[in-house]
Amino acid sequence: GHRRKSTLPGVREQTLIAVKPDGVQRRLVGQIIQRFEQRGFKLVGMKMLQASEDLLSQHYSELRMKPFYPSLLRYMSSGPVVVMVWEGHNVVQTSRTMVGHTNPVEAPPGTVRGDFSIHVSRNVVHASDSPEGANREIQLWFQGKELLNWDCCDQTSTYEV
Ligand code: GDP
Ligand code: MG
């Protein structure tokens, strides 16, 4: 049969977004999800868990020599996190822009960190920083069957297909 082919490359790009323990404690989960929904991205996986230090040491393996690494793992394992996979065109780069600079001091209003946080040690949310990093992190946090392949009814209003 006839199959339409998307004219936009990378519509299936995915990224890992996590509401960190401070964001969950401060009841910011809904507002953070809302920002990605209203932008037009598609939620394809989500769960709440208290992450182990083992999982977090793999997630943050690149930072193991940093002076703040032990306190980062303590903070990230201190309570539940909400981990999500969002999908869409250029989602990795766009979500980094939506989340804002690592240090909230540098994050402008309108970004998640610029609207909801003050200090780098409690910056509310995680977002993958590259497509390769996103794929690595998604495989670390999710099993394949936990990611749903579903059609968003407004696709033709979001993309030229
Ligand atoms: P991100 O990708 O923007 O989250 O930033 P990084 O990957 O560089 O760092 C991971 C996380 O470590 C950040 O989101 C912060 O929570 C924490 N972090 C980074 N730099 C610092 C720092 O200088 N001090 C402290 N206390 N935490 C930091
Ligand atoms: Mg990072």
Side-chain angles (χ1 to χ4, degrees), residues 10 13 44 46 51 55-56 80 88 91 105 108 121 144:
E13 186 173 296
V44 298
M46 177 164 72
L55 174 61
L56 292 165
V91 67
V105 169
S121 64

Side-chain angles (χ1 to χ4, degrees), residues 2-9 11 152-161:
H2 176 76
R3 293 199 64 197
R4 265 185 297 180
K5 201 161 161 285
S6 173
T7 54
L8 265 180
V11 167
C152 225
C153 65
D154 67 354
Q155 279 289 102
T156 56
S157 306
T158 307
Y159 298 109
E160 181 183 48
V161 289

Side-chain angles (χ1 to χ4, degrees), residues 20 60 63 68 71-72 75 96 102 113 120-121 123 126-127:
K20 296 180 175 182
Y60 283 130
L63 300 175
F68 58 83
S71 66
L72 174 63
Y75 148 56
R96 288 290 290 192
T102 302
R113 287 166 172 167
V120 67
S121 64
N123 60 5
H126 168 81

Side-chain angles (χ1 to χ4, degrees), residues 70-124:
S71 66
L72 174 63
L73 258 56
R74 238 180 294 126
Y75 148 56
M76 286 295 296
S77 61
S78 67
V81 294
V82 173
V83 201
M84 299 171 272
V85 177
W86 289 90
E87 184 178 292
H89 176 65
N90 203 42
V91 67
V92 174
Q93 190 188 338
T94 300
S95 59
R96 288 290 290 192
T97 305
M98 291 166 66
V99 161
H101 195 282
T102 302
N103 188 343
V105 169
E106 309 281 339
T111 64
V112 177
R113 287 166 172 167
D115 286 345
F116 298 123
S117 65
I118 298 170
H119 193 265
V120 67
S121 64
R122 300 288 185 269
N123 60 5
V124 172

Side-chain angles (χ1 to χ4, degrees), residues 14-16 92 128-139:
Q14 296 181 338
T15 196
L16 187 93
V92 174
S128 309
D129 67 2
S130 67
E132 299 71 33
N135 291 338
R136 184 184 73 82
E137 292 172 2
I138 289 166
Q139 286 186 32

